[in-house]
Amino acid sequence: MSTEVPTAEAHEHSHADVSGGWLRAAVFGAMDGLVTNTALVAGVGGGGASSHAIVLSGVASLVAGAISMALGEYTSVSTQNEQLDLEVEKERRELARNPQGELAELVQMLRVRGVDADLAERVAVQLHRDPDTALRLHVVAELGLNPADKPSPWTAAVSSFLTFATGAVIPLLPYLLGFSVLAAALVCGAVGLAAAGALSSRFTPRSWWSAALRQLLFGALAAGATYAIGAAIGVAVS
């Protein structure tokens, strides 16, 4: 009986971005912009503010929020990358200081992943012949991050800025188009939240309706709370 392993040609395939780059920033930015300004419009409108005050507040929130999100994403991703660089250098020094200990560590990591002891030792010895390969393997195995695939802080910042601004303008659309009715603004915000949630489901196992309902619920909770506060303050002031 033949024990040969059948051969097959390698084929190219791709995966979604899961390293914390543009996708996470875009989804977070869009959702934050929608929830923030839908809740703000509900709160200010619930307090009895004029259409001009609602638009002014909403635009100010859009600009401030988009800048804040962009700066926050840039700082967050930069800090993560700098921390990864620090850990890479620490691992590089350890490989130079204690190569046998690191070799034994790689053997153990391979064995934990199901490789036989003898084979694990031979593979580890071969991989350790190239210092760069050994370093990369240790970093990926121990930190779960690839130093060659770091997310760009600029990509995260720009993505977050644009998507926050896009999400934040949706609840303001009725007022910007001259239709100054609070209910219409809240409906626009709800539609935007549901659409953004459904779109995000393309990158996750979650069904589109479940993702849409989740975001709609989050937005409704925020808008309901700010509307109640705005109405209470409006009544108290009047």
Side-chain angles (χ1 to χ4, degrees), residues 16-29 155-156 159 163 199-200 203-204:
D17 167 33
V18 295
S19 63
W22 71 270
L23 180 58
R24 181 188 64 83
V27 171
F28 185 50
T155 298
S159 176
T163 53
L199 183 62
S200 71
F203 308 103
T204 71

PDB file of all heavy atoms in Angstrom, residues 16-29 155-156 159 163 199-200 203-204:
ATOM      1  N   ALA A  16      -8.908  38.859   5.152  1.00  0.00           N
ATOM      2  CA  ALA A  16      -9.268  40.226   5.532  1.00  0.00           C
ATOM      3  C   ALA A  16      -8.228  40.789   6.483  1.00  0.00           C
ATOM      4  O   ALA A  16      -7.478  40.057   7.129  1.00  0.00           O
ATOM      5  CB  ALA A  16     -10.654  40.240   6.191  1.00  0.00           C
ATOM      6  N   ASP A  17      -8.205  42.109   6.579  1.00  0.00           N
ATOM      7  CA  ASP A  17      -7.280  42.784   7.489  1.00  0.00           C
ATOM      8  C   ASP A  17      -7.749  42.591   8.929  1.00  0.00           C
ATOM      9  O   ASP A  17      -8.816  43.069   9.306  1.00  0.00           O
ATOM     10  CB  ASP A  17      -7.250  44.280   7.148  1.00  0.00           C
ATOM     11  CG  ASP A  17      -6.563  45.105   8.217  1.00  0.00           C
ATOM     12  OD1 ASP A  17      -5.621  44.585   8.830  1.00  0.00           O
ATOM     13  OD2 ASP A  17      -6.970  46.256   8.432  1.00  0.00           O
ATOM     14  N   VAL A  18      -6.960  41.863   9.710  1.00  0.00           N
ATOM     15  CA  VAL A  18      -7.310  41.651  11.121  1.00  0.00           C
ATOM     16  C   VAL A  18      -6.210  42.154  12.041  1.00  0.00           C
ATOM     17  O   VAL A  18      -6.186  41.839  13.224  1.00  0.00           O
ATOM     18  CB  VAL A  18      -7.582  40.150  11.406  1.00  0.00           C
ATOM     19  CG1 VAL A  18      -8.797  39.678  10.653  1.00  0.00           C
ATOM     20  CG2 VAL A  18      -6.356  39.296  11.037  1.00  0.00           C
ATOM     21  N   SER A  19      -5.305  42.945  11.507  1.00  0.00           N
ATOM     22  CA  SER A  19      -4.143  43.374  12.287  1.00  0.00           C
ATOM     23  C   SER A  19      -4.364  44.710  12.987  1.00  0.00           C
ATOM     24  O   SER A  19      -3.453  45.252  13.587  1.00  0.00           O
ATOM     25  CB  SER A  19      -2.912  43.481  11.371  1.00  0.00           C
ATOM     26  OG  SER A  19      -3.122  44.473  10.383  1.00  0.00           O
ATOM     27  N   GLY A  20      -5.585  45.245  12.917  1.00  0.00           N
ATOM     28  CA  GLY A  20      -5.827  46.514  13.589  1.00  0.00           C
ATOM     29  C   GLY A  20      -5.535  47.711  12.716  1.00  0.00           C
ATOM     30  O   GLY A  20      -5.299  48.801  13.229  1.00  0.00           O
ATOM     31  N   GLY A  21      -5.561  47.560  11.382  1.00  0.00           N
ATOM     32  CA  GLY A  21      -5.287  48.668  10.469  1.00  0.00           C
ATOM     33  C   GLY A  21      -6.526  49.457  10.130  1.00  0.00           C
ATOM     34  O   GLY A  21      -7.246  49.934  11.004  1.00  0.00           O
ATOM     35  N   TRP A  22      -6.817  49.572   8.823  1.00  0.00           N
ATOM     36  CA  TRP A  22      -7.894  50.459   8.393  1.00  0.00           C
ATOM     37  C   TRP A  22      -9.277  49.941   8.764  1.00  0.00           C
ATOM     38  O   TRP A  22     -10.179  50.729   9.060  1.00  0.00           O
ATOM     39  CB  TRP A  22      -7.810  50.665   6.885  1.00  0.00           C
ATOM     40  CG  TRP A  22      -8.198  49.445   6.090  1.00  0.00           C
ATOM     41  CD1 TRP A  22      -7.389  48.444   5.663  1.00  0.00           C
ATOM     42  CD2 TRP A  22      -9.525  49.108   5.662  1.00  0.00           C
ATOM     43  NE1 TRP A  22      -8.105  47.486   4.990  1.00  0.00           N
ATOM     44  CE2 TRP A  22      -9.424  47.871   4.962  1.00  0.00           C
ATOM     45  CE3 TRP A  22     -10.771  49.708   5.786  1.00  0.00           C
ATOM     46  CZ2 TRP A  22     -10.529  47.245   4.410  1.00  0.00           C
ATOM     47  CZ3 TRP A  22     -11.875  49.073   5.224  1.00  0.00           C
ATOM     48  CH2 TRP A  22     -11.750  47.867   4.545  1.00  0.00           C
ATOM     49  N   LEU A  23      -9.501  48.603   8.731  1.00  0.00           N
ATOM     50  CA  LEU A  23     -10.843  48.075   8.921  1.00  0.00           C
ATOM     51  C   LEU A  23     -11.385  48.366  10.313  1.00  0.00           C
ATOM     52  O   LEU A  23     -12.509  48.859  10.472  1.00  0.00           O
ATOM     53  CB  LEU A  23     -10.859  46.570   8.650  1.00  0.00           C
ATOM     54  CG  LEU A  23     -12.214  45.882   8.825  1.00  0.00           C
ATOM     55  CD1 LEU A  23     -13.265  46.515   7.922  1.00  0.00           C
ATOM     56  CD2 LEU A  23     -12.092  44.385   8.541  1.00  0.00           C
ATOM     57  N   ARG A  24     -10.605  48.066  11.337  1.00  0.00           N
ATOM     58  CA  ARG A  24     -11.058  48.325  12.713  1.00  0.00           C
ATOM     59  C   ARG A  24     -11.336  49.809  12.908  1.00  0.00           C
ATOM     60  O   ARG A  24     -12.355  50.205  13.493  1.00  0.00           O
ATOM     61  CB  ARG A  24     -10.001  47.848  13.708  1.00  0.00           C
ATOM     62  CG  ARG A  24     -10.381  48.059  15.171  1.00  0.00           C
ATOM     63  CD  ARG A  24      -9.199  47.753  16.083  1.00  0.00           C
ATOM     64  NE  ARG A  24      -8.098  48.662  15.855  1.00  0.00           N
ATOM     65  CZ  ARG A  24      -8.008  49.882  16.400  1.00  0.00           C
ATOM     66  NH1 ARG A  24      -8.968  50.317  17.205  1.00  0.00           N
ATOM     67  NH2 ARG A  24      -6.968  50.652  16.162  1.00  0.00           N
ATOM     68  N   ALA A  25     -10.416  50.648  12.421  1.00  0.00           N
ATOM     69  CA  ALA A  25     -10.581  52.095  12.573  1.00  0.00           C
ATOM     70  C   ALA A  25     -11.806  52.593  11.816  1.00  0.00           C
ATOM     71  O   ALA A  25     -12.547  53.459  12.301  1.00  0.00           O
ATOM     72  CB  ALA A  25      -9.331  52.817  12.082  1.00  0.00           C
ATOM     73  N   ALA A  26     -12.047  52.038  10.618  1.00  0.00           N
ATOM     74  CA  ALA A  26     -13.182  52.483   9.809  1.00  0.00           C
ATOM     75  C   ALA A  26     -14.503  52.110  10.463  1.00  0.00           C
ATOM     76  O   ALA A  26     -15.429  52.930  10.558  1.00  0.00           O
ATOM     77  CB  ALA A  26     -13.086  51.884   8.408  1.00  0.00           C
ATOM     78  N   VAL A  27     -14.606  50.859  10.911  1.00  0.00           N
ATOM     79  CA  VAL A  27     -15.849  50.409  11.549  1.00  0.00           C
ATOM     80  C   VAL A  27     -16.107  51.196  12.831  1.00  0.00           C
ATOM     81  O   VAL A  27     -17.214  51.687  13.073  1.00  0.00           O
ATOM     82  CB  VAL A  27     -15.784  48.894  11.832  1.00  0.00           C
ATOM     83  CG1 VAL A  27     -16.973  48.462  12.689  1.00  0.00           C
ATOM     84  CG2 VAL A  27     -15.759  48.114  10.531  1.00  0.00           C
ATOM     85  N   PHE A  28     -15.073  51.327  13.658  1.00  0.00           N
ATOM     86  CA  PHE A  28     -15.221  52.050  14.919  1.00  0.00           C
ATOM     87  C   PHE A  28     -15.566  53.513  14.665  1.00  0.00           C
ATOM     88  O   PHE A  28     -16.421  54.096  15.340  1.00  0.00           O
ATOM     89  CB  PHE A  28     -13.925  51.933  15.715  1.00  0.00           C
ATOM     90  CG  PHE A  28     -14.003  52.542  17.087  1.00  0.00           C
ATOM     91  CD1 PHE A  28     -15.041  52.232  17.943  1.00  0.00           C
ATOM     92  CD2 PHE A  28     -13.030  53.422  17.530  1.00  0.00           C
ATOM     93  CE1 PHE A  28     -15.121  52.785  19.207  1.00  0.00           C
ATOM     94  CE2 PHE A  28     -13.101  53.997  18.790  1.00  0.00           C
ATOM     95  CZ  PHE A  28     -14.148  53.671  19.634  1.00  0.00           C
ATOM     96  N   GLY A  29     -14.908  54.132  13.670  1.00  0.00           N
ATOM     97  CA  GLY A  29     -15.164  55.531  13.361  1.00  0.00           C
ATOM     98  C   GLY A  29     -16.582  55.767  12.885  1.00  0.00           C
ATOM     99  O   GLY A  29     -17.261  56.702  13.336  1.00  0.00           O
ATOM    100  N   THR A 155      -2.806  55.309   8.089  1.00  0.00           N
ATOM    101  CA  THR A 155      -3.991  54.680   7.485  1.00  0.00           C
ATOM    102  C   THR A 155      -5.134  54.620   8.487  1.00  0.00           C
ATOM    103  O   THR A 155      -6.284  54.925   8.156  1.00  0.00           O
ATOM    104  CB  THR A 155      -3.648  53.257   7.012  1.00  0.00           C
ATOM    105  OG1 THR A 155      -2.632  53.330   6.000  1.00  0.00           O
ATOM    106  CG2 THR A 155      -4.860  52.557   6.440  1.00  0.00           C
ATOM    107  N   ALA A 156      -4.815  54.232   9.707  1.00  0.00           N
ATOM    108  CA  ALA A 156      -5.840  54.158  10.745  1.00  0.00           C
ATOM    109  C   ALA A 156      -6.420  55.536  11.041  1.00  0.00           C
ATOM    110  O   ALA A 156      -7.635  55.692  11.211  1.00  0.00           O
ATOM    111  CB  ALA A 156      -5.255  53.546  12.012  1.00  0.00           C
ATOM    112  N   SER A 159      -8.544  56.810   7.955  1.00  0.00           N
ATOM    113  CA  SER A 159      -9.753  55.994   7.871  1.00  0.00           C
ATOM    114  C   SER A 159     -10.747  56.380   8.955  1.00  0.00           C
ATOM    115  O   SER A 159     -11.946  56.542   8.702  1.00  0.00           O
ATOM    116  CB  SER A 159      -9.383  54.523   7.992  1.00  0.00           C
ATOM    117  OG  SER A 159     -10.531  53.710   8.001  1.00  0.00           O
ATOM    118  N   THR A 163     -14.451  58.153   8.178  1.00  0.00           N
ATOM    119  CA  THR A 163     -15.657  57.387   8.487  1.00  0.00           C
ATOM    120  C   THR A 163     -16.437  58.003   9.647  1.00  0.00           C
ATOM    121  O   THR A 163     -17.671  57.956   9.658  1.00  0.00           O
ATOM    122  CB  THR A 163     -15.312  55.920   8.808  1.00  0.00           C
ATOM    123  OG1 THR A 163     -14.299  55.873   9.835  1.00  0.00           O
ATOM    124  CG2 THR A 163     -14.798  55.212   7.579  1.00  0.00           C
ATOM    125  N   LEU A 199     -23.362  46.248   7.015  1.00  0.00           N
ATOM    126  CA  LEU A 199     -22.141  46.244   6.215  1.00  0.00           C
ATOM    127  C   LEU A 199     -20.985  45.591   6.965  1.00  0.00           C
ATOM    128  O   LEU A 199     -20.185  44.846   6.383  1.00  0.00           O
ATOM    129  CB  LEU A 199     -21.774  47.672   5.826  1.00  0.00           C
ATOM    130  CG  LEU A 199     -20.547  47.842   4.920  1.00  0.00           C
ATOM    131  CD1 LEU A 199     -20.776  47.137   3.589  1.00  0.00           C
ATOM    132  CD2 LEU A 199     -20.264  49.329   4.687  1.00  0.00           C
ATOM    133  N   SER A 200     -20.906  45.849   8.264  1.00  0.00           N
ATOM    134  CA  SER A 200     -19.814  45.261   9.056  1.00  0.00           C
ATOM    135  C   SER A 200     -19.907  43.750   9.124  1.00  0.00           C
ATOM    136  O   SER A 200     -18.900  43.068   9.354  1.00  0.00           O
ATOM    137  CB  SER A 200     -19.817  45.855  10.475  1.00  0.00           C
ATOM    138  OG  SER A 200     -20.926  45.372  11.227  1.00  0.00           O
ATOM    139  N   PHE A 203     -17.564  41.233   7.225  1.00  0.00           N
ATOM    140  CA  PHE A 203     -16.227  40.897   7.699  1.00  0.00           C
ATOM    141  C   PHE A 203     -16.261  39.984   8.926  1.00  0.00           C
ATOM    142  O   PHE A 203     -15.225  39.724   9.529  1.00  0.00           O
ATOM    143  CB  PHE A 203     -15.455  42.181   8.037  1.00  0.00           C
ATOM    144  CG  PHE A 203     -15.457  43.188   6.922  1.00  0.00           C
ATOM    145  CD1 PHE A 203     -16.293  44.296   6.973  1.00  0.00           C
ATOM    146  CD2 PHE A 203     -14.632  43.031   5.829  1.00  0.00           C
ATOM    147  CE1 PHE A 203     -16.297  45.227   5.952  1.00  0.00           C
ATOM    148  CE2 PHE A 203     -14.628  43.956   4.796  1.00  0.00           C
ATOM    149  CZ  PHE A 203     -15.462  45.055   4.856  1.00  0.00           C
ATOM    150  N   THR A 204     -17.454  39.530   9.309  1.00  0.00           N
ATOM    151  CA  THR A 204     -17.596  38.701  10.505  1.00  0.00           C
ATOM    152  C   THR A 204     -18.557  37.540  10.215  1.00  0.00           C
ATOM    153  O   THR A 204     -19.272  37.554   9.204  1.00  0.00           O
ATOM    154  CB  THR A 204     -18.169  39.521  11.686  1.00  0.00           C
ATOM    155  OG1 THR A 204     -19.552  39.819  11.419  1.00  0.00           O
ATOM    156  CG2 THR A 204     -17.399  40.819  11.869  1.00  0.00           C
TER     157      THR A 204
END
